[in-house]
Amino acid sequence: MTVLLETQSVSKNFGALRATREVSFKLEEGARHALIGPNGAGKTTFINLLTGVLPPNSGKVLLKDRDITQMAQAERVKLGIARTFQINRLFRGLSVLENVYMAVAERVGAAPKMLTPAGAQRDVIDESMQLLESLKLADIAHHTIVGLPYGRQRLVELAITLGLKPEVLLLDEPAAGVPSAESHIILDAIDALPKTIGVLIIDHDMDLVFRFAKRITVLVRGAIFAEGTPKEIGANPDVRAVYLGQATQHG
Amino acid sequence: MSATDLQNHPAARALAQRHRLRVWEGLPWLLALACYFAFPRYLGFGTEILITVLFAISLDLALGYAGIVTLGHAAFFGAGAYTVGMLAKNGIWTEPITGLLLGAAVAGLIGFLSGLVLLRTAGLTLLMLTLCFMGLLEESANMGADFTGGFDGLDSLPIKPIVGMFEFDVLYSKTQYLYVLAVLFVCFVFTRTLVYSPFGHSLTGIRENTLRMHAVGAPVERRLVICYTISAAIAGIAGALWAQANAYVNLSTLGLDRAATVLIILVLGGYGRLYGAFVGAFVYMMLEHFLSKLYPEAWQLGLGLLLVVIALFARGGILGIGEELRRRFRGWRNKP
Ligand SMILES: Nc1ncnc2c1ncn2[C@@H]1O[C@H](COP(=O)(O)OP(=O)(O)O)[C@@H](O)[C@H]1O
Ligand SMILES: [Mg+2]
C-alpha cells in the first residue's frame, strides 16, 4: 500500500502545554482510519498540523514522500488535502449552494475569473447541486446558512470539503451535532467516494467509529497511545481504561 | 431529483441569474441625466456628488465585498488628484482622459505596494495602519511644497478640453457633470461585472470566513491585494476627476475628513450592495448641503444620531432597510 500522508515525529507546543508529542503516523491510500482520544488529547491540533493551519515545533509532514512541512494551507489543498472543521466554518451570509460553489470554483480553477459572471459557470453550479443532492441538501440549497439548524450546517461543512475532491480527507468530528438519524448520511457520502481516497475521521461516537474504521489510532495527551484494527483496539484493556473511562465524562 | 431538476432548482437558477440587470438599475442613471436638465444651476454640486459616488464604490469593493476595513482610502483619492494636479501644473500632461488613467495607475501602484505589506494584518491593526499610511502621504504632500504646493495646494490647473472639443465649464460645470457621469458609468459597469464574477464571489468568501477560504485552497492574500489595487485605482480615478473638475488640488483630497466621510456614506447607504454608494452619497451630501445652512452646528449631531440608529438597528444601511421592508411585505402578502 502506498502511504499518502505521513508525519515523522511531529511535536507542537502551546507554551508549556505539549499538545502533540512526537507523533509518527501514516495514512495509506484507501485508508478508513479513525483517530480517537479523550477531549483535549490533541486530535484537532494534529489535523491543524497536517493541513498547515499550525506549524509544528519539530518533526516533518510528508505527502507522498514530499516534505510539505513548510507549505501553506492553500497549497496543500491544491495537492489534495482537505478537511472539515470541528466547529463549523461556513460562509454564513451566503446560500448553501453559494457555499459549495466557493470550493468547487476554487478546485476547477474558475475562481480567479473576473470578467464573466459566477452564474455563467454552469459546470460549477451543476456539480455543486449534485453534491448537495448526494448529501440530501438539495431542497435547502437556496437557504442562507444563518437560518439553518445546526445539523444541516454540519452537512454543508462536509459538502464544501467534498467539493474539493480531495485525495486525503480529514474529518474533525463530522457527526457531532448531527441528529443520530441523519449521521448515516455522512457515512454514506464517504462510502460513495472513490475507494483510493485516504480518510481520517475523528469522532466520539464509538458506534460510528467502529462501523467506519479499518484502523484506529488512540491519542492520549498528545502522544499515540495505541494503534491497531478495531478488534485490537476494542480488546485493549488500557484503551478501555484510559479512553472509555474519560469519554463518558465528556459525552 | 434528476439532473435537469437540479439545473432548474430555484437555488441554481437564482445563482445563474444573479448578475442579470434588473429594471430599476436604470433608475439612477435616468435620474442623473434628468438632473442635468432640471437643475442646470446645481451641476457643480451634482458633479461633487457623482465623484463621491465613485469614491464610495471603490471603497465598497474593498470594504463591502472583500471585508478590508480601511480608514485610509483617501490616500488613493489624493494620489489620483495630485497626479493630475502636478502633471498639469508643470505642463507635463494636461489631456484629461489619459490623465485619469495616469491617476488610476499611480493610485493603483500605491495601493498594490502598500497592500502587499498592510493586508497581512486585519481588523483594528489594519484600520490603524491604513490610517497611518494615509497620514504619511498627507504629510509628504504638505512638506513637498515645491511639487505639491504644500498647504495651499495647486490651483488654476490647465486641463485640455475633453477629446479636444468640450471645454471644462468654470461657471456651471455642465461639461464636468456629463464627463464625470460618463466615467462613473464606465467604472460602475466594471465594478458590477467584477463583484458578480467568480473572483468577486471569492472576495465575499474572504469577508465571510477567511480561514475557510484558506481551507478551500484560495490564495487569500493575493486576492486581497488584487482587490485592493483595483479599488485604489478606482479611488484614484475619482480623485483625478475631482482635480480636473475643480481645476485645483489641495490637502483636503488626502485627509482623514474625506476618508471618514466616504466611510460614513457607505455605511449610511449600505455596504456590499453597489448601490449603497449612490444612496449614501446622495442622502449625505443633500443633508450636508441643506441642513448645514439651516443648522450649521446641529446638523452633524443629527447625522451622528442617524448613524447610531443605523449601526444599532439597520446594519444594511438605507438599502438594507428597504430590503427588509420588501421582505416583510412579501411575507405578509404570502400569508393565507
Ligand atoms: N491555538 C491554541 N493555543 C493554545 N492552546 C491550544 C490551542 N489549540 C489547542 N490548544 C490546547 O491543546 C490541547 C489539545 O487541544 P485539541 O487539539 O483541540 O484537542 P482535541 O481535539 O483532542 O479535543 C488542549 O489542551 C487545548 O486547550
Ligand atoms: Mg477537537
Side-chain angles (χ1 to χ4, degrees), chain B residues 307-326:
Chain B
L307 278 174
V308 170
V309 169
I310 285 202
L312 287 179
F313 303 110
R315 287 295 181 81
I318 296 174
L319 282 187
I321 295 174
E323 285 161 18
E324 181 67 23
L325 287 178
R326 210 172 59 146

Side-chain angles (χ1 to χ4, degrees), chain A residues 39-40 42-45 86 172-173 202 204:
Chain A
N39 266 334
K43 304 180 295 294
T44 299
T45 303
Q86 181 176 354
D172 196 349
E173 306 199 17
I202 297 175
H204 285 301

Side-chain angles (χ1 to χ4, degrees), chain A residues 137-149:
Chain A
L137 290 171
D139 50 333
I140 55 160
H142 51 295
H143 287 226
T144 308
I145 300 294
V146 183
L148 291 180

Side-chain angles (χ1 to χ4, degrees), chain A residues 78 89-93 97-98 101-102 106 110-111 113-114 116-119 122 126 133 138 142 157 160-161, chain B residues 1 7 9 11 15-16 18-19 194 196-199 201 205 208-209 211-218 223 226:
Chain A
K78 295 281 181 231
R89 299 215 175 250
L90 305 174
F91 309 108
R92 294 179 58 78
L97 175 60
E98 286 170 329
Y101 183 102
M102 206 70 82
E106 214 56 68
K113 291 187 189 171
M114 291 186 174
T116 61
R122 285 308 313 211
D126 291 346
E133 166 81 350
H142 51 295
E157 173 76 33
I160 294 175
T161 303
Chain B
M1 270 186 243
Q7 283 175 1
H9 189 284
L15 183 51
R18 199 171 59 163
H19 58 280
L194 197 66
Y196 285 118
S197 70
F199 179 82
H201 191 63
E208 293 282 318
N209 201 325
L211 187 62
R212 191 52 183 255
M213 280 313 271
H214 285 290
V216 299
R223 297 260 163 87
I226 293 173

Side-chain angles (χ1 to χ4, degrees), chain A residues 93-127:
Chain A
L94 306 184
S95 76
V96 171
L97 175 60
E98 286 170 329
N99 268 260
V100 178
Y101 183 102
M102 206 70 82
V104 177
E106 214 56 68
R107 189 196 85 235
V108 302
K113 291 187 189 171
M114 291 186 174
L115 298 179
T116 61
Q121 310 287 322
R122 285 308 313 211
D123 50 335
V124 177
I125 297 179
D126 291 346
E127 186 185 330

